[in-house]
Amino acid sequence: MTDFPDDTTLPRNAAVEGYRNVAAIVLALTVMQAAVGALSVVGPLTLLAQGASSLKIGIIVTGYALGFLLGAHLAPKEIRRIGHIRAVAAFAAAASIAAALLHANDALVWWMLMQFIMGMCVAGLLASGESWIADAAPSEHRGAILGFYLVASKVGFMTGPFLAASVPPGAATGFLIVAALFTASLIPACATNRAHPRIPETEPFSPLRVWQIAPSAIIAAFTAGLVNGAVLQLYAVYSGSLGGAGSAMAQTAAIFNAALIGGSV
């Protein structure tokens, strides 16, 4: 089932309506990426302000990565059980709650648990939203639509840190901004007027099967994740330790995004 009917059989405005529905999902995922971008600055700088060591910060962000790994494994089963729309709503709501509760306690176990929950939810949101886009996009336009989505999500991720740039490290406002962005990602998803996307019927490959087919791809993905995970989660720690005039959040957001822009170019 696709949102884009054949223009030779249905009016032009039906195809336009299909693109509007896809744009709503792209916007929802872009706002979600803004929340993740804001969290990547707010979280580490708050821990630094609390006097946390680099080891403690590294252990905490590992919780996010573990949650993301588990969420990527469990999300397809949950999508099959309740459908894309309810899955997006559930994951966004849970991520918003976890982001707001980060400020409730500064214990290492608490932060690891909240980061774990957010990692699971972000993986679930990406699985739900990206499969929704792939289902809605026609085969002849799928590459262009997915390319547009990737650019838009990168812009959202880069915008997120600046939304929290004026917040002092450790203030509750930073976490409320992250929670609000996760909640706001629900609005575009709820604005679509189509039924559930088609539920995938194929069974996923096991990691061993993927390794047998393309071992070099797994090695490359593992290496990229090893580098990207450290940069995205801990770069704010490095930039926040540089000091200098002005807001620590604003300085970190600027340096962080300079690295992202360089990588994009």
Side-chain angles (χ1 to χ4, degrees):
M1 180 178 180
T2 178
D3 275 337
F4 299 90
D6 188 349
D7 290 343
T8 62
T9 59
L10 290 179
R12 177 179 175 81
N13 60 354
V16 173
E17 185 68 16
Y19 281 107
R20 188 191 72 83
N21 287 331
V22 171
I25 305 306
V26 170
L27 179 59
L29 293 180
T30 300
V31 175
M32 183 272 293
Q33 289 284 10
V36 176
L39 177 66
S40 66
V41 172
V42 171
L45 290 186
T46 296
L47 291 170
L48 280 178
Q50 294 173 350
S53 65
S54 298
L55 177 61
K56 179 178 178 179
I57 296 174
I59 293 173
I60 288 173
V61 299
T62 299
Y64 179 92
L66 290 174
F68 194 96
L69 185 64
L70 182 60
H73 176 69
L74 297 179
K77 299 177 183 178
E78 196 65 16
I79 293 170
R80 291 191 189 95
R81 190 177 71 86
I82 63 177
H84 290 72
I85 299 174
R86 292 188 183 91
V88 168
F91 289 131
S96 177
I97 294 170
L101 288 178
L102 270 177
H103 193 258
N105 198 309
D106 60 358
L108 184 147
V109 174
W110 178 259
W111 271 70
M112 277 198 70
L113 177 60
M114 294 302 106
Q115 290 274 7
F116 181 84
I117 293 172
M118 282 189 288
M120 286 187 61
C121 293
V122 170
L125 282 166
L126 290 174
S128 305
E130 291 181 0
S131 61
W132 192 340
I133 293 172
D135 173 77
S139 57
E140 63 271 20
H141 298 133
R142 186 169 294 126
I145 290 173
L146 291 176
F148 170 75
Y149 154 67
L150 291 173
V151 172
S153 64
K154 178 67 72 174
V155 171
F157 188 83
M158 294 167 63
T159 302
F162 287 108
L163 297 178
S166 62
V167 179
T173 307
F175 299 98
L176 293 179
I177 290 174
V178 176
L181 288 170
F182 275 123
T183 303
S185 68
L186 282 169
I187 299 174
C190 294
T192 59
N193 59 1
R194 67 162 294 183
H196 279 289
R198 182 176 58 249
I199 302 297
E201 299 176 355
T202 57
E203 290 296 325
F205 279 9
S206 67
L208 180 59
R209 176 60 175 161
V210 178
W211 172 263
Q212 293 171 343
I213 296 173
S216 59
I218 291 184
I219 295 172
F222 177 82
T223 305
L226 196 66
V227 175
N228 291 339
V231 172
L232 294 178
Q233 297 292 340
L234 297 176
Y235 196 78
V237 176
Y238 165 74
S239 58
S241 66
L242 294 178
S247 168
M249 286 285 193
Q251 173 181 285
T252 301
I255 297 176
F256 186 70
N257 278 313
L260 290 176
I261 293 172
S264 299
V265 172

